[in-house]
Structure formats: C-alpha cells, structure tokens
Amino acid sequence: MDFDFDVIARSWRTVLLTGMAFTLQLTVLAMAGGVVLGTLLALARLSGWRPLALLAAAYVNLVRAVPLVLVIFWFYFLVPYLAAWAIGAEEPVRVGAFWSALITFTLFQAAYYCEIMRGGIQSIPRGQLHAAQALGLRYWQCMGHVVLPQALRNMLPVLLTQTIVLFQDVSLVYVLSVPDFVGAAARVAQRDGRLVEMYSFVAVVYFAMCCALSMLVRRLRRARGQG
Amino acid sequence: MDYHWNWAVFGEQSPDGVNTYWQMLVSGLGWTLAAALAGWLMALVLGALAGVARTLPQRPLRMAAGAYVELFRNVPLLVQMFLWFFVVPELLPRAAGDWLKALPQAPFVTAVVCLGFFTSARVAVQVAAGIEALAGGQLQAALALGLDRPQAYRHVLLPLALRIVLPPLTSEFLNIIKNSSVALTIGLMELTASARAIQEFSFQVFEAYTAATMLYVLVNLAVTAGMQAVERRLALPGTLGTPGAR
C-alpha cells in the first residue's frame, strides 16, 4: 500500500484550523461549564435537604448509566424543543450544532465532574467547616471561601484527567456531522479517498496531545506528592 | 408547541417488513451485549497479561506494557474504531485485508477487537494496581515456599489482586457496554443505532430514545446487582470488604 503524505501536507492546516479549533473550543467551554455545574450538583448531593440531594443523585446516576452517543442524540433533538418551549415558539427552534454540542457536553460532563468535586469536598476535614462557621461565615461564604477552593486544589489532577477524557470524547460529535477535528479530517479523507492517511494523521495528533497533557498531570501530581 | 406522543409505535412494523420496532430494539440490545461481552473477555485476558507485565522485574517488559497502555489510552475510542475498520485492513497483506472486509459481520468483529484492546489498557492499570497493593510480602512468601514466579502469580498474586480490583473492573464492564455504542459509526446495529433508526423511520424521537435509555439503565442495574453478589462471595476474608470483619 502506498502511503500518500501529500494529502496530509495539503490539508493539515485547514483540518487543524477548523477542526482542532472547534474541538478545543468545545473542550474548554464544556470543561468550564461542566466544572461549575458539577460543583453545584455536588453541593446539591451533599445538601441536607433530602429531595434536592435525591434529585441531584438521580440525575448523576442516570447520565452515568447512558452512553455519550445516546446523550448526544437526545440533546440534538431535545434542545430545539426545549428552546421552543422556553420562548413559547410554535416550531422547534433551530439550534446550531455547536450550541447543541456544547449544551450536551456541559450537562453530560457535569455528572462526572460532580462526583470528582463531591470526593474533593468530602476530603476536607470537618474542622475547616466548623472553624469557618465559628468565624461567623454563612453557608455560601464557608463553601465559596473555605471549602471549595481547597477541594478544587486537591482535585485538580483528577479534574484535569477527566478533561483529557472530555477532549477525547468531543470526537463523538462526529455523529452529528459536525466539523470537529475528526469530522474535518473525515471530510478530506472521503473527498480524496485517503482514509488510511487521514485517520492515521488524526490518531497521531490525538496521541501526541493526550500524551503531553497526561504527562503534565503526572508532573503536577508528583510535585504535590500525590503519587 | 406540542409533540405527538405515541408509545404504540413500538408495536408497528418497521420498514424491513419483518420485525416490529420493539423487536428492532431488542435485537440492538442483543448486539450491544454480545459486543460488550466478547470485548470484555478479550480485555480481561490482554489486560491481565499487560498488568502482570507492568509489575515484573524485567525492565523491557515493564516498558512495553507501559507503552501498550499509553497507546490505547491516548487515542479517542472513535478514532481507534476507524483505525481498525478502515486502516488496518489496508495495511494487512491484500488477501487478508480483503477477507476481513468481506466478513459478513465485519462491523461486529471490528467493534469487539477495538473495544477489547481499548478496555484491556484500562484493565491492565487496575490489575497492576491490585498486584502492587499486595505489597511485597505475598510474593516473597510464595517464593519462599518454593513456587517459581509464574506459579506465584497464578496461585497467589492474581487471585488476590483480581478480588481487590473487582469494583473498578465492574465500572470498566459498565463502560464497555456504553462504549459499544461508538460502533454505530462503523455500522453495527447496536442499541443506540437501533433507537436512531426507529427515530428516523417513525419520527417518534422521544419514544425511541426513552426506550433505549431505559434499557441501558436496566442493564446497568442488573450488572451492578450481579457484581455486588460476586463481590460478596469473593471478598477476601479478614479485609474491610467482608461483613463482620471490622
């Protein structure tokens, strides 16, 4: 088989600029949204008000029981209906693939970040909370100024590892024919009949980026004496 | 804004003229479970081998196992699926490649191989961690009893380590069931693909995906319950995992 490097040389700039830019954008935004929402979910799960705790637990367990591909399909069809319902429109609202994907990944990842943050919050010694309360801080002040910053710090390596998973999972927006990194490369591959070259290229780029990221996480862990 | 709910849709005939939509869903569930189980068997064998290799004194073996794990962990599953399906048959000798592509169940075989390798890397990490958790004492004791290293692994270390890592292995098993849905991209008609097909034929979006979601949740509950029973049976006496041992 003759490996045609030329097709990669011709297309790598556009594939990286359109595709990888889309993938990275989605990863970073979904991570930010997912961590915020996941932290709120974790607080809800740990809340003393049982209905809220049960509701949050049900959400997290449901999301974690279902494959991401199915969730992507769910939201792709659900979001237009929800948007129509929210603004009282007659017809499903056309939500672009980017927004649909962003909402999906934020809500999906929130369930996973929630469990990480819950572990982080539970790892904070109870004395910290008592001390904060004794200083006269309210619940949200205790959480926002004392507990959450420490939980976030302790869990940073795990959160980053989960973000690497998210970065890889974003490739699944391929099923919506979105021009993410894999989608953009697949288009070139099919147009030029060069599947072998383009998919190998995609694999090599992902491998290099994820290796670099996980090396970074390992270094962070070692620097903090967390193994 | 209204949506016309019609749960009776599952009793209707699908466009293939033979099955009802409900049967389509059940057949999808069958493919999901078949791919997950076959992939899981492969992952357990390869993962145990790679996991053991990571704990051996020979440095080249440890490094090879480490590279194996990194390789399969750092490429997205979807991309690995495409590599096995589109790229590998082209790299093989022509006759072998053609044979692969002509297999009647090529997507299924590819999915099993891909899921097997992908999951084996994760299993390897767990197995290695389990063996390391046994500290050195068990191995030293086994060697002192006159067992050689393979015997020590087979009769002492692996049975203990596998029982320790049963909980993380359970979540890997749940993952492989969910991950099998990625095989819809190479044409395997598993559960998610069936739901999507039903939605495309009947336009009953929410019924199709709700049914698939419920099936995934049921499988999840069944696996979790089953594994808890296994865990109880296999719990190591004298550890915190056994009731009454505290």
Side-chain angles (χ1 to χ4, degrees), chain A residues 1 62-70 73-74 77-78 81 84-85 89-92 112 164 167-169 171-172 174-175 182 186 195-196 199-200 202-203 206-208 210-211 214 218, chain B residues 1-3 67 70-79 82-83 86-87 90-91 118 122 175 177-179 181-182 184-185 192-193 195-196 199 205-206 209-213 216-217 220:
Chain A
M1 120 122 248
L62 177 68
V63 169
R64 285 160 60 98
V66 182
L68 176 55
V69 181
L70 183 61
F73 287 139
W74 255 121
F77 293 101
L78 196 60
Y81 278 98
W85 174 73
E90 284 288 309
E91 291 287 306
Y112 287 83
I164 300 177
F167 173 54
Q168 296 193 7
D169 279 352
S171 64
L172 290 173
Y174 171 87
V175 298
V182 179
L195 300 179
V196 173
Y199 289 141
S200 309
V202 169
Y206 264 118
F207 181 76
C210 294
C211 264
S214 45
R218 258 201 299 272
Chain B
M1 173 79 259
D2 45 41
Y3 175 81
E70 291 302 316
L71 179 66
F72 288 107
R73 276 219 297 201
N74 285 321
V75 177
L77 180 59
L78 173 74
V79 178
F82 286 172
L83 288 182
F86 297 116
V87 177
E90 303 295 331
L91 301 182
F118 181 80
R122 281 142 213 274
N175 279 340
I177 295 173
K178 290 186 281 171
N179 282 338
S181 64
V182 175
L184 72 82
T185 57
T192 303
R196 184 175 63 162
Q199 168 251 316
V205 184
F206 297 115
Y209 291 138
T210 305
T213 302
Y216 276 112
V217 171
N220 222 289

Side-chain angles (χ1 to χ4, degrees), chain B residues 185-223:
Chain B
T185 57
I186 57 168
L188 181 66
M189 279 307 282
E190 46 68 65
L191 184 49
T192 303
S194 303
R196 184 175 63 162
I198 293 171
Q199 168 251 316
E200 276 170 359
F201 294 144
S202 70
F203 302 107
Q204 299 300 132
V205 184
F206 297 115
E207 290 86 342
Y209 291 138
T210 305
T213 302
M214 285 190 327
L215 286 175
Y216 276 112
V217 171
L218 284 178
V219 169
N220 222 289
L221 290 175
V223 170

Side-chain angles (χ1 to χ4, degrees), chain A residues 14-209:
Chain A
T14 38
V15 170
L16 284 181
L17 277 182
T18 58
M20 189 48 97
F22 183 98
T23 296
L24 286 176
Q25 232 179 347
L26 202 57
T27 305
V28 170
L29 291 176
M31 178 197 67
V35 169
V36 172
L37 197 64
T39 305
L40 291 175
L41 273 171
L43 289 176
R45 282 201 74 167
L46 295 170
S47 148
W49 191 44
R50 265 185 76 75
L52 183 65
L54 286 177
L55 201 69
Y59 174 78
V60 169
N61 289 329
L62 177 68
V63 169
R64 285 160 60 98
V66 182
L68 176 55
V69 181
L70 183 61
V71 179
I72 291 176
F73 287 139
W74 255 121
F75 280 99
Y76 186 65
F77 293 101
L78 196 60
V79 168
Y81 278 98
L82 285 181
W85 174 73
I87 61 171
E90 284 288 309
E91 291 287 306
V93 177
R94 276 203 60 81
V95 182
F98 179 80
W99 282 102
S100 157
L102 180 57
I103 293 169
T104 307
F105 277 94
T106 305
L107 291 175
F108 183 84
Q109 287 296 326
Y112 287 83
Y113 285 124
C114 164
E115 292 305 273
I116 298 173
M117 282 312 289
R118 189 161 68 107
I121 293 169
Q122 284 175 327
S123 75
I124 304 299
R126 195 156 278 279
Q128 294 280 332
L129 189 61
H130 290 319
Q133 281 165 339
L135 285 174
L137 299 187
R138 277 169 228 234
Y139 175 78
W140 285 108
Q141 290 174 316
C142 290
M143 284 298 161
H145 295 299
V146 179
V147 175
L148 287 181
Q150 297 186 70
L152 204 64
R153 211 186 113 83
N154 288 349
M155 286 294 131
L156 196 60
V158 193
L159 286 172
L160 287 176
T161 305
Q162 181 62 33
T163 303
I164 300 177
V165 173
L166 164 64
F167 173 54
Q168 296 193 7
D169 279 352
V170 165
S171 64
L172 290 173
V173 295
Y174 171 87
V175 298
L176 299 182
S177 311
V178 167
D180 76 311
F181 184 46
V182 179
R187 270 177 212 189
V188 175
Q190 272 144 23
R191 188 193 64 201
D192 296 3
R194 287 289 168 190
L195 300 179
V196 173
E197 290 81 354
M198 289 316 286
Y199 289 141
S200 309
F201 171 63
V202 169
V204 168
V205 171
Y206 264 118
F207 181 76
M209 290 181 75

